[in-house]
Amino acid sequence: MQSWRESPGVVVVLLAPAVLWLLLFFLIPLGFIWVISFGERAGPVAIDITWTLANYRDAIDPLYLGLFTRSLRIAAISTVIALVIAFPVAFAITFASPRLKPILLLLVILPFFTNMLIRTYAMIAVLRRNGYVNFSLEQLWEAGAFALQPFGLAGMLGERFVPLDLLYNNTAVVFGIVYVYLPFMVLPLYASLERLDRSLLEASLDLGASQFRTFFFVTVPLAVPGIVSGIMLVFIPAMGTFLISDLLGGPSSQLIGNVIERQFKAANNWPLGAAMSFLLLYLTFVLLVLRAWFEKRDRGRG
Amino acid sequence: MRPPIVSIDGVTKRFGETAAVDQVSIDIQANEFFALLGPSGCGKTTLLRMLAGFETPNEGRILIDGDDMTRVPPNRRPVNMVFQSYAVFPHMTVEANVAYGLKVEGIGGAELRRRVDEALAMVRLENFRARKPDQLSGGQRQRVALARALIKRPKVLLLDEPLSALDKKLREQMQLELVRLQHEVGITFVMVTHDQEEALSMANRIAVMDHGRVLQIADPRTLYEHPTHRFVAEFIGTVNSLDVEVRSVDGPHARIRHPLLGEITVERAAPDVERGVVVARPEKLRLDFSAPPVDGEILLDAVVEQIAYYGDLSFVFVRCPDGTALQISRYNVNRQDKGDPAAGSLCRVGIHPDDLLLVGTG
Ligand SMILES: Nc1ncnc2c1ncn2[C@@H]1O[C@H](COP(=O)(O)OP(=O)(O)OP(=O)(O)O)[C@@H](O)[C@H]1O
Ligand SMILES: [Mg+2]
């Protein structure tokens, strides 16, 4: 490693492909979008760059701000749920036997083997009125009604089974986001729990703390880097998602991502879409800066 | 005599097929500084972890102050541990680390503050209370671990190789410090170490372990001068071991034969030793060039092969005509000393039968 640092030529050669890739397919297109966000539509395809701020003004229209707040809320709720589900999972994997561990990790990564679109469609099959969840509930309902019949209580469960409307609402969107992004929460949590020195947990128990206290006063604080990374990795894409809300959400679950997508496609208002994208991007930057600041502070203190 | 504060009764711990701790029974008295000594992998840590409650024995019982603790979880045992890696909580200040165990008990306010101050003063860390562990040296971190455990006023303090991560000077300083602390707080210390000098200089009593078994439990002097096993003799200090033929045994003595020594009577380490080796400590042998033998001493001709000079003493390695190698230590008592013999020179080695001991090889 040391010698690499001393010969910059090697570093340049090694980094060149990645830098080139980022430049060509990320930074330059991003620059275009940034420039377009200061433009005006001059025809079906033509855009004049007039350095106007009108798009940004339009983007913070109360209508869009409402959508933005809803996106924020749904992303936040999804992130919290993902965290609550992922922590025990990551904890269990960390403490699983060495034989079981790779299998469990594989199970976490397995969903990545299928396309996100397909996975989201699969959720429709699970949640729709005649989907798997309702099917199971119906079976339970029938069993319950059958069991209650001899007591003349069959009516207690209603005349007939009414399937639940699980799809096309905000809950379904949250469900979809949690389902799709859960691995992004589990993996960083696992990484930071794996690094955790077990003797710290033993020391806590040894000092008389319960398992519960040990978890909240030792495990969780020391897993903060993983928690922060996991939150970032779930919250940021959740904030920008449009596929999940499109497929699983109802008319009132449109997210800011859907609006942006519509500006680029149906509404053909690239400048507004670009401005909205960049507002979202700035928010992401703020979050990343905050994280960097937290990390620096933590490293400075211990 | 009071009942032992710790009573380990026929404890076995197996990991898979192998027994890491094998049928161990030890009684530790209140206020003792007890050391578990043995080579790497002999099961010391495993035994200590069973006292702390992190491992459950497969067989046997562990009593602490008369109560059966065999299956009691670590957070309900009246013992505390200083971990080998110290395990100081990195996200808490020194003060928070030390206070942790009391807060868990629900102690707060003035009493918490008083006892934290007291504990920090005891380990001389008053001026470091607001620091985070990564701003401390290894020795300071260890003292945090000590204060954190001692503040709980445990019946027994368990220490797993507490000094192994420190450099030599600091280690010697901390050895004295630990002994002082133990006197001061009057708590039973059980310390794991693989360093025999550390065990000898610090502990009141030592259990020597090998392959999960306890070979001998004794005070340092007895261990050094009256080891019962060849392993103990060779593990503690250095020793010359001579294979001998035992002619007869009679009470505490044995009649042995050795080509160099002839047929002589030596002490037996234990009543069950009927075969074995004769051991002699290097400082018990006398390097002699001309002087006549001391009363009863056997003089052997030898050639000096090598010399290791340590400043305060030197080890002289010699070989007898029959090929037997011996090492002799000489103290360099005055500066005008003419020094060690040259390699290759002829010398005589004086051995007194009283300094020989027949030990078992089992
Ligand atoms: N959790 C475990 N699972 C399997 N084997 C173990 C476990 N803990 C210890 N052992 C084995 O038990 C034996 C004793 O280990 P122990 O840690 O008690 O040794 P030790 O005397 O403390 O050694 P050291 O001086 O190296 O720390 C070793 O052979 C070790 O490999
Ligand atoms: Mg050990």
Side-chain angles (χ1 to χ4, degrees):
Chain A
M1 288 301 275
Q2 194 59 38
S3 58
W4 285 14
R5 246 174 255 150
E6 280 159 18
S7 47
V10 179
V11 177
V12 167
V13 168
L14 286 174
L15 286 182
V19 169
L20 214 62
W21 181 274
L22 274 178
L23 200 69
L24 279 179
F25 299 109
F26 182 67
L27 287 177
I28 291 178
L30 201 67
F32 280 136
I33 298 291
W34 187 72
V35 170
I36 286 174
S37 76
F38 297 102
E40 278 174 61
R41 272 186 301 173
V45 283
I47 294 167
D48 284 344
I49 307 302
T50 56
W51 300 106
T52 170
L53 290 174
N55 298 312
Y56 285 92
R57 203 173 49 238
D58 290 348
I60 54 173
D61 180 277
L63 173 72
Y64 296 135
L65 276 186
L67 275 171
F68 182 78
T69 348
R70 180 197 290 154
S71 302
L72 210 64
R73 200 174 61 238
I74 286 187
I77 293 172
S78 309
T79 308
V80 169
I81 294 176
L83 179 62
V84 169
I85 297 175
F87 214 109
V89 174
F91 203 71
I93 298 175
T94 312
F95 288 92
S97 73
R99 278 228 323 270
L100 210 55
K101 200 176 275 190
I103 298 172
L104 292 175
L105 277 175
L106 186 71
L107 286 178
V108 170
I109 304 168
L110 207 57
F112 290 135
F113 290 15
T114 33
N115 182 287
M116 179 172 147
L117 189 64
I118 294 171
R119 271 183 288 152
T120 311
Y121 268 117
M123 288 323 291
I124 296 179
V126 172
L127 295 176
R128 68 185 168 202
R129 283 181 76 93
N130 53 353
Y132 298 114
V133 174
N134 273 318
F135 178 74
S136 309
L137 287 175
E138 187 170 6
Q139 298 293 314
L140 284 175
W141 183 89
E142 276 170 10
F146 183 74
L148 290 173
Q149 213 160 25
F151 309 102
L153 293 172
M156 220 175 81
L157 292 174
E159 278 302 291
R160 52 194 193 83
F161 175 73
V162 187
L164 299 180
D165 281 317
L166 300 170
L167 214 49
Y168 309 126
N169 53 35
N170 288 345
T171 317
V173 175
V174 169
F175 193 88
I177 293 175
V178 170
Y179 166 66
V180 166
Y181 293 111
L182 194 63
F184 292 106
M185 188 63 95
V186 173
L187 294 177
L189 282 179
Y190 165 75
S192 73
L193 288 176
E194 183 66 34
R195 272 201 308 270
L196 187 86
D197 182 358
R198 306 287 165 89
S199 61
L200 293 174
L201 307 184
E202 292 185 342
S204 173
L205 291 177
D206 185 70
L207 292 166
S210 59
Q211 295 279 2
F212 189 77
R213 194 186 175 99
T214 301
F215 181 79
F216 282 102
F217 284 78
V218 180
T219 312
V220 170
L222 291 174
V224 160
I227 295 173
V228 172
S229 299
I231 288 177
M232 295 284 164
L233 288 177
V234 175
F235 184 80
I236 291 173
M239 227 12 236
T241 187
F242 57 89
L243 186 67
I244 295 170
S245 46
D246 217 29
L247 294 179
L248 304 181
S252 68
S253 354
Q254 291 292 293
L255 301 183
I256 197 74
N258 300 94
V259 178
I260 295 175
E261 190 216 7
R262 213 173 315 119
Q263 301 313 319
F264 280 102
K265 286 180 168 171
N268 192 20
N269 189 351
W270 281 43
L272 180 59
M276 286 175 162
S277 301
F278 263 88
L279 287 180
L280 210 54
L281 201 61
Y282 293 142
L283 176 82
T284 309
F285 276 140
V286 170
L287 289 178
L288 289 176
V289 168
L290 270 179
R291 180 174 80 153
W293 182 77
F294 266 116
E295 263 180 8
K296 206 167 133 197
R297 193 199 59 175
D298 281 352
R299 221 176 299 125
R301 293 191 328 186
Chain B
M1 203 165 74
R2 285 172 51 192
I5 188 98
V6 177
S7 182
I8 301 166
D9 180 15
V11 163
T12 297
K13 176 70 188 179
R14 278 183 288 268
F15 292 114
E17 288 295 290
T18 53
V21 171
D22 192 3
Q23 290 294 324
V24 166
S25 294
I26 303 174
D27 281 346
I28 299 169
Q29 302 301 325
N31 279 335
E32 266 195 299
F33 196 131
F34 195 90
L36 294 170
L37 174 65
S40 186
C42 72
K44 311 177 293 282
T45 298
T46 306
L47 185 56
L48 199 73
R49 288 172 58 81
M50 286 194 281
L51 294 181
F54 296 123
E55 309 279 0
T56 314
N58 296 106
E59 287 163 31
R61 293 190 314 155
I62 288 170
L63 306 180
I64 294 171
D65 205 14
D67 300 323
D68 190 337
M69 289 281 153
T70 316
R71 263 155 242 289
V72 175
N75 47 6
R76 287 202 227 109
R77 293 194 185 201
V79 302
N80 286 107
M81 181 143 162
V82 175
F83 290 80
Q84 182 165 6
S85 56
Y86 312 146
V88 173
F89 302 126
H91 57 300
M92 297 183 195
T93 61
V94 168
E95 185 168 6
N97 263 285
V98 174
Y100 188 82
L102 289 190
K103 282 199 185 145
V104 163
E105 289 176 30
I107 295 171
E111 187 187 355
L112 178 72
R113 237 170 301 128
R114 186 180 55 74
R115 283 177 66 180
V116 168
D117 287 347
E118 204 178 275
L120 286 173
M122 194 166 59
V123 296
R124 300 180 184 138
L125 282 178
E126 301 97 319
N127 298 330
F128 296 85
R129 55 196 320 150
R131 293 244 191 131
K132 284 282 188 105
D134 66 346
Q135 298 168 315
L136 298 177
S137 71
Q140 288 164 342
R141 236 173 287 169
Q142 186 197 38
R143 283 186 285 170
V144 175
L146 263 172
R148 184 179 71 175
L150 285 172
I151 200 170
K152 298 275 290 178
R153 300 186 182 149
K155 288 181 177 163
V156 183
L157 184 74
L158 309 171
L159 305 110
D160 189 1
E161 311 233 7
L163 307 174
S164 61
L166 307 178
D167 62 52
K168 191 166 185 286
K169 267 273 180 298
L170 191 57
R171 190 159 66 227
E172 284 165 2
Q173 189 187 325
M174 281 305 293
Q175 286 178 1
L176 295 173
E177 184 116 351
L178 271 179
V179 173
R180 169 187 74 83
L181 261 177
Q182 200 257 338
H183 278 290
E184 211 171 287
V185 296
I187 290 173
T188 312
F189 279 26
V190 179
M191 179 180 80
V192 158
T193 179
H194 64 256
D195 181 336
Q196 36 102 7
E197 282 177 24
E198 193 170 289
L200 290 181
S201 65
M202 295 171 76
N204 306 119
R205 274 198 317 147
I206 300 167
V208 181
M209 294 182 66
D210 186 34
H211 288 105
R213 294 179 155 275
V214 168
L215 297 180
Q216 188 173 7
I217 305 173
D219 62 280
R221 193 178 174 83
T222 308
L223 274 187
Y224 189 77
E225 303 291 4
H226 295 274
T228 52
H229 293 72
R230 176 179 190 167
F231 177 84
V232 177
E234 289 177 350
F235 190 70
I236 294 179
T238 19
V239 81
N240 294 295
S241 306
L242 301 170
D243 287 312
V244 297
E245 177 194 337
V246 179
R247 280 296 171 87
S248 63
V249 292
D250 171 27
H253 297 290
R255 191 88 187 140
I256 56 123
R257 244 200 80 76
H258 184 270
L260 276 178
L261 305 171
E263 192 166 317
I264 53 170
T265 301
V266 298
E267 200 183 317
R268 268 207 299 171
D272 60 339
V273 177
E274 311 215 315
R275 287 176 306 129
V277 295
V278 153
V279 294
R281 296 284 181 200
E283 76 279 3
K284 307 286 192 292
L285 304 187
R286 199 167 63 88
L287 200 57
D288 171 276
F289 296 101
S290 54
V294 187
D295 192 25
E297 199 178 39
I298 301 164
L299 282 181
L300 308 173
D301 290 318
V303 181
V304 176
E305 285 206 320
Q306 204 181 342
I307 291 151
Y309 178 75
Y310 287 96
D312 54 345
L313 56 76
S314 305
F315 274 98
V316 181
F317 297 84
V318 306
R319 196 171 290 280
C320 299
D322 72 332
T324 307
L326 293 173
Q327 51 177 313
I328 303 128
S329 62
R330 292 179 67 246
Y331 276 90
N332 301 317
V333 281
N334 57 50
R335 292 180 59 208
Q336 269 61 46
D337 200 326
K338 62 182 184 307
D340 299 314
S345 61
L346 291 175
C347 67
R348 286 196 300 176
V349 178
I351 300 180
H352 201 288
D354 287 356
D355 289 325
L356 298 176
L357 183 69
L358 178 70
V359 295
T361 46

